[in-house]
Every structure is written in C-alpha cells, then in structure tokens.
Amino acid sequence: MQLNIMKWERLWWSISALIIAGGIIAMIISYTTFKAPLRPGLDFIGGTRLQLQLACAVEGTCEQSIDVGEVREILNQQELGNSTIQVLEGNILSIRTKNLDVDERSQLQQELNEKIGDFDSETIQIDTVGPTIGQELFESGVLALLVSFFGIIVYLSVRFKFDYAFFAILALVHDILVTAGVFAVLGLVAGVEVDSLFLVALLTIIGFSVNDTVVIYDRIRENTDRYSEELSINEIVENSVNQTLGRSINTTLTTLLPLIAIFLFGGETLKFFALALILGFIAGSYSSIFIASTSLAWWRNRQGLAKG
C-alpha cells in the first residue's frame, strides 16, 4: 500500500484541527461545569465513593434497574445533594460524594437497602481519598508529563536536529489533546471521570507515539543523506513514510488487540484506562504518519533546507 501523504497534507492537518477544536470546546464547557478541563475523579478531588451491587444481580433475578431519581432523593435527605450518581449495567450503583465517616456511610447504606433494594454486602466497594492526597497525585502526574516532554526534546535534539524534535513534540501534543478531548466529551455526556490511571495512560501514549515517530524520522534522515541531490524533501518524506508504513500499522494493530480485549472484558476499573490507550495509540500512529512527517517537510521547504 502506497500513501500519497504530501498531496493531502492540509487535509490531514484539518482533520486533526477539527478534532482538537471540538475537544477544546468540550474542555472549556467541562471547566465551567466541574472547575476542571476533564471531569475529575476521586483520586484528584478527594471524597468517598461507594459502589454497591443489588443482591438480585448476583443471583441473576433482577427484574428492573435502579432508579436514579430515587437514589437522588435519598441523598438529598442525607444532605448529600451534590453527589455524583452512576448506574452501571442497570444494577450497580456508584456514588461519589464528600468524605463520609463510618457512621455516615452506614446510615446511607441502610437507607439505600430499605428504599432501593437489598445490596450484596460481599461486593460493596468503598474508596476514600483526602483532598490533600488528591492534589499531590495531580501535581505529581503533571510533573511526570512535563519531565517526559523535556526528556524527549533533549533526546531528539541530540539524535536528530531541533526541528525534528519540535515537530515530534507537536505530534505528542496532538495525541494528548485528542485523547483528553474525547474524555472531556465523555465526561460531559456519560459522566466518565479521569483518575491517576488516566495520567499513566497519557505517559504510555507519549512513549508509544514518540517511538513510532523516531522510526519514521530515522528513515527520513537516512533517505535524505542518500538522495538529497536527486529527490525533493517531499519525495523523501513520502518514500520514508511508505517504507515504514507496514511496521507502523502492524505495531499498532498488535498493540490494540489486547487493549480492546481489556476494554470489553477487563471490568470497570480498567475499562477507561484501556480506552484512553486505544484512543492515544490510534492518534499516535496517525500523528507520526500524517502530522510529524508532513510538518517537517513543510518546514524544510519553507526554510529551503534539504539536509537532514
């Protein structure tokens, strides 16, 4: 398969720009709603999360789903009206609220059992995170992202030239914005929250994407050294991308298959972690092929440069 990427470079840039613009709009709306660009999870803002499953679901005898309105009424009576409620699979109730002590949790669980239905005591999950710890987790995650970006800039500047490093970082920013934008939309329409695993996913996406970009850049540099007198930079970039295309596609597909399996069968804890990786890896392959390479060619044409 041969791609004519340079002919349609502005199309690839426009597709990315539209997706990123939509994500940024979603993040702005999210910020006005949740005071954060993405809907923050318990890990970052602190609080208590209760997850309860109806006993009838364990036995497979449930006839109706949990009514969110009834749950909201109970929480209002407990002066917990600002809590976030999610119903998973119709019979699993997830409540995120302020920090509750043992007595408050027990009282809430008793009210839910009396008015909603019997919940299975063996499947109850209770997570409590203090706001200080949540802030520390967030700051550590952001710092890790910044350090990784700096390290990549230094590495690529030493291995290649600075313009290679710049457009590789541009591609990484593209991947992060695409992934974050999708999660901003999911946070608004489906109540999906981001936690510390999301930051781990972003770091993994950065590593995957830069590896793919380095492979293409290596081939561009090799071909530039060999054919700079015979071919234009556009032809060199296009040939280089096509020469590494099979590897890029195969690597991405073999990585996505287990992630899709985790997303479908890995349970609630890993579901959105896997989704973030799926989105980021797809965006990473796209940016390596269509953004990092075409941007480098555009810049070198603009500067009248041929040597890599």
PDB file of all heavy atoms in Angstrom, residues 5 21-22 29 54-55 67 81 95 109 135 144 159 174-175 197 204 212-213 223 231 242 252 257 261-263 266 271:
ATOM      1  N   ILE A   5       0.898  11.037   0.989  1.00  0.00           N
ATOM      2  CA  ILE A   5       0.579  11.876   2.140  1.00  0.00           C
ATOM      3  C   ILE A   5       0.833  13.355   1.886  1.00  0.00           C
ATOM      4  O   ILE A   5       0.125  14.214   2.417  1.00  0.00           O
ATOM      5  CB  ILE A   5       1.354  11.419   3.394  1.00  0.00           C
ATOM      6  CG1 ILE A   5       2.862  11.566   3.178  1.00  0.00           C
ATOM      7  CG2 ILE A   5       0.996   9.999   3.768  1.00  0.00           C
ATOM      8  CD1 ILE A   5       3.637  11.446   4.460  1.00  0.00           C
ATOM      9  N   ALA A  21     -10.139  20.982  18.086  1.00  0.00           N
ATOM     10  CA  ALA A  21     -11.005  22.120  18.391  1.00  0.00           C
ATOM     11  C   ALA A  21     -12.264  21.660  19.130  1.00  0.00           C
ATOM     12  O   ALA A  21     -12.686  22.292  20.116  1.00  0.00           O
ATOM     13  CB  ALA A  21     -11.386  22.858  17.112  1.00  0.00           C
ATOM     14  N   GLY A  22     -12.847  20.550  18.681  1.00  0.00           N
ATOM     15  CA  GLY A  22     -14.018  20.013  19.372  1.00  0.00           C
ATOM     16  C   GLY A  22     -13.688  19.608  20.795  1.00  0.00           C
ATOM     17  O   GLY A  22     -14.474  19.851  21.723  1.00  0.00           O
ATOM     18  N   ILE A  29     -16.245  23.767  28.292  1.00  0.00           N
ATOM     19  CA  ILE A  29     -17.554  23.520  28.915  1.00  0.00           C
ATOM     20  C   ILE A  29     -17.378  22.743  30.215  1.00  0.00           C
ATOM     21  O   ILE A  29     -18.024  23.033  31.230  1.00  0.00           O
ATOM     22  CB  ILE A  29     -18.470  22.750  27.942  1.00  0.00           C
ATOM     23  CG1 ILE A  29     -18.758  23.601  26.700  1.00  0.00           C
ATOM     24  CG2 ILE A  29     -19.780  22.361  28.628  1.00  0.00           C
ATOM     25  CD1 ILE A  29     -19.512  22.851  25.606  1.00  0.00           C
ATOM     26  N   LEU A  54     -26.826  -4.772  43.527  1.00  0.00           N
ATOM     27  CA  LEU A  54     -28.021  -5.416  44.050  1.00  0.00           C
ATOM     28  C   LEU A  54     -27.796  -6.917  44.213  1.00  0.00           C
ATOM     29  O   LEU A  54     -27.170  -7.556  43.359  1.00  0.00           O
ATOM     30  CB  LEU A  54     -29.207  -5.170  43.123  1.00  0.00           C
ATOM     31  CG  LEU A  54     -29.778  -3.740  43.079  1.00  0.00           C
ATOM     32  CD1 LEU A  54     -30.826  -3.619  41.984  1.00  0.00           C
ATOM     33  CD2 LEU A  54     -30.376  -3.363  44.434  1.00  0.00           C
ATOM     34  N   ALA A  55     -28.320  -7.454  45.298  1.00  0.00           N
ATOM     35  CA  ALA A  55     -28.156  -8.881  45.559  1.00  0.00           C
ATOM     36  C   ALA A  55     -28.815  -9.714  44.462  1.00  0.00           C
ATOM     37  O   ALA A  55     -28.322 -10.783  44.092  1.00  0.00           O
ATOM     38  CB  ALA A  55     -28.742  -9.233  46.922  1.00  0.00           C
ATOM     39  N   ASP A  67     -33.402   3.062  39.999  1.00  0.00           N
ATOM     40  CA  ASP A  67     -33.950   4.367  39.613  1.00  0.00           C
ATOM     41  C   ASP A  67     -33.055   5.465  40.184  1.00  0.00           C
ATOM     42  O   ASP A  67     -32.952   5.636  41.412  1.00  0.00           O
ATOM     43  CB  ASP A  67     -35.373   4.501  40.155  1.00  0.00           C
ATOM     44  CG  ASP A  67     -36.066   5.754  39.636  1.00  0.00           C
ATOM     45  OD1 ASP A  67     -35.355   6.715  39.267  1.00  0.00           O
ATOM     46  OD2 ASP A  67     -37.308   5.774  39.593  1.00  0.00           O
ATOM     47  N   GLY A  81     -26.807  16.229  48.403  1.00  0.00           N
ATOM     48  CA  GLY A  81     -27.399  16.510  47.100  1.00  0.00           C
ATOM     49  C   GLY A  81     -26.406  16.785  45.987  1.00  0.00           C
ATOM     50  O   GLY A  81     -26.737  16.657  44.804  1.00  0.00           O
ATOM     51  N   ILE A  95     -21.735   5.879  43.782  1.00  0.00           N
ATOM     52  CA  ILE A  95     -21.991   7.207  44.333  1.00  0.00           C
ATOM     53  C   ILE A  95     -20.663   7.836  44.728  1.00  0.00           C
ATOM     54  O   ILE A  95     -19.888   7.240  45.483  1.00  0.00           O
ATOM     55  CB  ILE A  95     -22.902   7.134  45.575  1.00  0.00           C
ATOM     56  CG1 ILE A  95     -24.252   6.517  45.206  1.00  0.00           C
ATOM     57  CG2 ILE A  95     -23.091   8.526  46.177  1.00  0.00           C
ATOM     58  CD1 ILE A  95     -25.134   6.244  46.416  1.00  0.00           C
ATOM     59  N   GLN A 109     -25.988   3.552  53.586  1.00  0.00           N
ATOM     60  CA  GLN A 109     -26.200   2.193  53.087  1.00  0.00           C
ATOM     61  C   GLN A 109     -27.510   1.616  53.605  1.00  0.00           C
ATOM     62  O   GLN A 109     -28.220   0.910  52.876  1.00  0.00           O
ATOM     63  CB  GLN A 109     -25.025   1.287  53.497  1.00  0.00           C
ATOM     64  CG  GLN A 109     -23.737   1.587  52.744  1.00  0.00           C
ATOM     65  CD  GLN A 109     -22.583   0.732  53.245  1.00  0.00           C
ATOM     66  OE1 GLN A 109     -21.561   1.233  53.683  1.00  0.00           O
ATOM     67  NE2 GLN A 109     -22.758  -0.575  53.178  1.00  0.00           N
ATOM     68  N   GLN A 135      -4.607  16.277  45.527  1.00  0.00           N
ATOM     69  CA  GLN A 135      -3.822  17.364  44.951  1.00  0.00           C
ATOM     70  C   GLN A 135      -2.397  16.914  44.666  1.00  0.00           C
ATOM     71  O   GLN A 135      -1.820  17.242  43.624  1.00  0.00           O
ATOM     72  CB  GLN A 135      -3.815  18.563  45.906  1.00  0.00           C
ATOM     73  CG  GLN A 135      -3.078  19.775  45.384  1.00  0.00           C
ATOM     74  CD  GLN A 135      -3.779  20.439  44.219  1.00  0.00           C
ATOM     75  OE1 GLN A 135      -4.970  20.227  44.013  1.00  0.00           O
ATOM     76  NE2 GLN A 135      -3.054  21.217  43.440  1.00  0.00           N
ATOM     77  N   ALA A 144       5.254  14.627  35.980  1.00  0.00           N
ATOM     78  CA  ALA A 144       5.776  13.496  35.200  1.00  0.00           C
ATOM     79  C   ALA A 144       5.599  13.748  33.701  1.00  0.00           C
ATOM     80  O   ALA A 144       6.495  13.445  32.894  1.00  0.00           O
ATOM     81  CB  ALA A 144       5.074  12.207  35.609  1.00  0.00           C
ATOM     82  N   ARG A 159      19.755  13.353  18.987  1.00  0.00           N
ATOM     83  CA  ARG A 159      19.778  12.296  17.975  1.00  0.00           C
ATOM     84  C   ARG A 159      19.566  12.850  16.571  1.00  0.00           C
ATOM     85  O   ARG A 159      20.172  12.374  15.618  1.00  0.00           O
ATOM     86  CB  ARG A 159      18.707  11.255  18.292  1.00  0.00           C
ATOM     87  CG  ARG A 159      18.663  10.119  17.290  1.00  0.00           C
ATOM     88  CD  ARG A 159      17.883   8.950  17.801  1.00  0.00           C
ATOM     89  NE  ARG A 159      17.847   7.880  16.817  1.00  0.00           N
ATOM     90  CZ  ARG A 159      17.298   6.692  17.024  1.00  0.00           C
ATOM     91  NH1 ARG A 159      16.747   6.413  18.195  1.00  0.00           N
ATOM     92  NH2 ARG A 159      17.284   5.776  16.083  1.00  0.00           N
ATOM     93  N   HIS A 174      -0.508  16.780  20.001  1.00  0.00           N
ATOM     94  CA  HIS A 174      -1.685  16.370  19.229  1.00  0.00           C
ATOM     95  C   HIS A 174      -2.332  15.145  19.859  1.00  0.00           C
ATOM     96  O   HIS A 174      -3.553  15.101  20.080  1.00  0.00           O
ATOM     97  CB  HIS A 174      -1.248  16.088  17.789  1.00  0.00           C
ATOM     98  CG  HIS A 174      -2.249  15.351  16.953  1.00  0.00           C
ATOM     99  ND1 HIS A 174      -2.404  13.965  17.027  1.00  0.00           N
ATOM    100  CD2 HIS A 174      -3.126  15.771  16.003  1.00  0.00           C
ATOM    101  CE1 HIS A 174      -3.332  13.592  16.178  1.00  0.00           C
ATOM    102  NE2 HIS A 174      -3.784  14.662  15.545  1.00  0.00           N
ATOM    103  N   ASP A 175      -1.527  14.127  20.183  1.00  0.00           N
ATOM    104  CA  ASP A 175      -2.071  12.879  20.732  1.00  0.00           C
ATOM    105  C   ASP A 175      -2.713  13.104  22.094  1.00  0.00           C
ATOM    106  O   ASP A 175      -3.787  12.558  22.388  1.00  0.00           O
ATOM    107  CB  ASP A 175      -0.957  11.833  20.856  1.00  0.00           C
ATOM    108  CG  ASP A 175      -0.234  11.594  19.539  1.00  0.00           C
ATOM    109  OD1 ASP A 175      -0.831  11.878  18.484  1.00  0.00           O
ATOM    110  OD2 ASP A 175       0.924  11.149  19.575  1.00  0.00           O
ATOM    111  N   LEU A 197      -4.967   6.684  36.838  1.00  0.00           N
ATOM    112  CA  LEU A 197      -4.703   5.765  35.724  1.00  0.00           C
ATOM    113  C   LEU A 197      -4.724   6.500  34.390  1.00  0.00           C
ATOM    114  O   LEU A 197      -4.025   6.102  33.449  1.00  0.00           O
ATOM    115  CB  LEU A 197      -5.733   4.626  35.704  1.00  0.00           C
ATOM    116  CG  LEU A 197      -5.486   3.435  36.628  1.00  0.00           C
ATOM    117  CD1 LEU A 197      -6.615   2.428  36.493  1.00  0.00           C
ATOM    118  CD2 LEU A 197      -4.149   2.781  36.339  1.00  0.00           C
ATOM    119  N   THR A 204       2.058   6.576  28.863  1.00  0.00           N
ATOM    120  CA  THR A 204       2.255   5.420  27.974  1.00  0.00           C
ATOM    121  C   THR A 204       2.061   5.820  26.520  1.00  0.00           C
ATOM    122  O   THR A 204       2.808   5.386  25.632  1.00  0.00           O
ATOM    123  CB  THR A 204       1.270   4.294  28.348  1.00  0.00           C
ATOM    124  OG1 THR A 204       1.368   4.014  29.742  1.00  0.00           O
ATOM    125  CG2 THR A 204       1.575   3.032  27.555  1.00  0.00           C
ATOM    126  N   ASP A 212       7.147   5.534  17.498  1.00  0.00           N
ATOM    127  CA  ASP A 212       6.694   5.442  16.114  1.00  0.00           C
ATOM    128  C   ASP A 212       7.274   6.590  15.285  1.00  0.00           C
ATOM    129  O   ASP A 212       7.690   6.402  14.134  1.00  0.00           O
ATOM    130  CB  ASP A 212       5.166   5.476  16.081  1.00  0.00           C
ATOM    131  CG  ASP A 212       4.593   4.640  14.951  1.00  0.00           C
ATOM    132  OD1 ASP A 212       5.323   3.787  14.414  1.00  0.00           O
ATOM    133  OD2 ASP A 212       3.411   4.831  14.610  1.00  0.00           O
ATOM    134  N   THR A 213       7.296   7.780  15.865  1.00  0.00           N
ATOM    135  CA  THR A 213       7.823   8.942  15.150  1.00  0.00           C
ATOM    136  C   THR A 213       9.318   8.809  14.889  1.00  0.00           C
ATOM    137  O   THR A 213       9.809   9.162  13.806  1.00  0.00           O
ATOM    138  CB  THR A 213       7.549  10.224  15.959  1.00  0.00           C
ATOM    139  OG1 THR A 213       6.141  10.349  16.199  1.00  0.00           O
ATOM    140  CG2 THR A 213       8.041  11.454  15.217  1.00  0.00           C
ATOM    141  N   ASN A 223      17.302   8.476   4.174  1.00  0.00           N
ATOM    142  CA  ASN A 223      16.997   8.760   2.769  1.00  0.00           C
ATOM    143  C   ASN A 223      17.461  10.150   2.360  1.00  0.00           C
ATOM    144  O   ASN A 223      17.826  10.374   1.200  1.00  0.00           O
ATOM    145  CB  ASN A 223      15.498   8.611   2.520  1.00  0.00           C
ATOM    146  CG  ASN A 223      15.046   7.154   2.532  1.00  0.00           C
ATOM    147  OD1 ASN A 223      15.858   6.243   2.314  1.00  0.00           O
ATOM    148  ND2 ASN A 223      13.767   6.921   2.782  1.00  0.00           N
ATOM    149  N   LEU A 231      16.240  13.815  -4.996  1.00  0.00           N
ATOM    150  CA  LEU A 231      14.820  13.920  -4.687  1.00  0.00           C
ATOM    151  C   LEU A 231      14.550  15.157  -3.838  1.00  0.00           C
ATOM    152  O   LEU A 231      15.403  15.621  -3.091  1.00  0.00           O
ATOM    153  CB  LEU A 231      14.351  12.678  -3.913  1.00  0.00           C
ATOM    154  CG  LEU A 231      14.541  11.318  -4.600  1.00  0.00           C
ATOM    155  CD1 LEU A 231      14.140  10.186  -3.654  1.00  0.00           C
ATOM    156  CD2 LEU A 231      13.727  11.242  -5.890  1.00  0.00           C
ATOM    157  N   ASN A 242       6.152   5.566   3.501  1.00  0.00           N
ATOM    158  CA  ASN A 242       5.673   4.331   2.885  1.00  0.00           C
ATOM    159  C   ASN A 242       6.577   3.140   3.192  1.00  0.00           C
ATOM    160  O   ASN A 242       6.101   2.008   3.314  1.00  0.00           O
ATOM    161  CB  ASN A 242       5.540   4.522   1.369  1.00  0.00           C
ATOM    162  CG  ASN A 242       4.272   5.275   0.991  1.00  0.00           C
ATOM    163  OD1 ASN A 242       3.170   4.800   1.193  1.00  0.00           O
ATOM    164  ND2 ASN A 242       4.431   6.483   0.460  1.00  0.00           N
ATOM    165  N   THR A 252       0.776  -1.063  15.664  1.00  0.00           N
ATOM    166  CA  THR A 252      -0.433  -0.502  16.260  1.00  0.00           C
ATOM    167  C   THR A 252      -1.520  -1.555  16.416  1.00  0.00           C
ATOM    168  O   THR A 252      -2.159  -1.660  17.476  1.00  0.00           O
ATOM    169  CB  THR A 252      -0.959   0.665  15.412  1.00  0.00           C
ATOM    170  OG1 THR A 252       0.070   1.664  15.282  1.00  0.00           O
ATOM    171  CG2 THR A 252      -2.182   1.298  16.052  1.00  0.00           C
ATOM    172  N   LEU A 257      -5.122  -4.942  19.884  1.00  0.00           N
ATOM    173  CA  LEU A 257      -5.935  -6.146  20.114  1.00  0.00           C
ATOM    174  C   LEU A 257      -6.084  -6.479  21.597  1.00  0.00           C
ATOM    175  O   LEU A 257      -7.209  -6.658  22.077  1.00  0.00           O
ATOM    176  CB  LEU A 257      -5.347  -7.326  19.334  1.00  0.00           C
ATOM    177  CG  LEU A 257      -5.523  -7.261  17.809  1.00  0.00           C
ATOM    178  CD1 LEU A 257      -4.815  -8.431  17.133  1.00  0.00           C
ATOM    179  CD2 LEU A 257      -7.012  -7.266  17.451  1.00  0.00           C
ATOM    180  N   ALA A 261      -9.533  -6.091  24.096  1.00  0.00           N
ATOM    181  CA  ALA A 261      -9.995  -7.178  24.970  1.00  0.00           C
ATOM    182  C   ALA A 261     -10.141  -6.691  26.408  1.00  0.00           C
ATOM    183  O   ALA A 261     -11.118  -7.026  27.099  1.00  0.00           O
ATOM    184  CB  ALA A 261      -9.018  -8.352  24.891  1.00  0.00           C
ATOM    185  N   ILE A 262      -9.175  -5.884  26.880  1.00  0.00           N
ATOM    186  CA  ILE A 262      -9.257  -5.338  28.237  1.00  0.00           C
ATOM    187  C   ILE A 262     -10.457  -4.403  28.358  1.00  0.00           C
ATOM    188  O   ILE A 262     -11.184  -4.420  29.360  1.00  0.00           O
ATOM    189  CB  ILE A 262      -7.953  -4.598  28.607  1.00  0.00           C
ATOM    190  CG1 ILE A 262      -6.789  -5.589  28.714  1.00  0.00           C
ATOM    191  CG2 ILE A 262      -8.115  -3.834  29.918  1.00  0.00           C
ATOM    192  CD1 ILE A 262      -5.445  -4.924  28.886  1.00  0.00           C
ATOM    193  N   PHE A 263     -10.673  -3.577  27.334  1.00  0.00           N
ATOM    194  CA  PHE A 263     -11.801  -2.648  27.355  1.00  0.00           C
ATOM    195  C   PHE A 263     -13.132  -3.397  27.430  1.00  0.00           C
ATOM    196  O   PHE A 263     -14.049  -3.001  28.163  1.00  0.00           O
ATOM    197  CB  PHE A 263     -11.770  -1.768  26.108  1.00  0.00           C
ATOM    198  CG  PHE A 263     -12.954  -0.858  25.966  1.00  0.00           C
ATOM    199  CD1 PHE A 263     -13.081   0.266  26.774  1.00  0.00           C
ATOM    200  CD2 PHE A 263     -13.951  -1.129  25.044  1.00  0.00           C
ATOM    201  CE1 PHE A 263     -14.185   1.105  26.655  1.00  0.00           C
ATOM    202  CE2 PHE A 263     -15.054  -0.294  24.927  1.00  0.00           C
ATOM    203  CZ  PHE A 263     -15.172   0.817  25.732  1.00  0.00           C
ATOM    204  N   GLY A 266     -12.318  -6.367  30.762  1.00  0.00           N
ATOM    205  CA  GLY A 266     -11.434  -6.133  31.899  1.00  0.00           C
ATOM    206  C   GLY A 266     -12.092  -5.551  33.130  1.00  0.00           C
ATOM    207  O   GLY A 266     -11.421  -5.333  34.133  1.00  0.00           O
ATOM    208  N   LYS A 271     -11.466  -0.392  32.326  1.00  0.00           N
ATOM    209  CA  LYS A 271     -12.174  -0.122  31.076  1.00  0.00           C
ATOM    210  C   LYS A 271     -11.736   1.192  30.440  1.00  0.00           C
ATOM    211  O   LYS A 271     -11.362   1.238  29.261  1.00  0.00           O
ATOM    212  CB  LYS A 271     -13.683  -0.102  31.340  1.00  0.00           C
ATOM    213  CG  LYS A 271     -14.523   0.155  30.099  1.00  0.00           C
ATOM    214  CD  LYS A 271     -16.010   0.071  30.436  1.00  0.00           C
ATOM    215  CE  LYS A 271     -16.866   0.275  29.196  1.00  0.00           C
ATOM    216  NZ  LYS A 271     -18.315   0.164  29.522  1.00  0.00           N
TER     217      LYS A 271
END
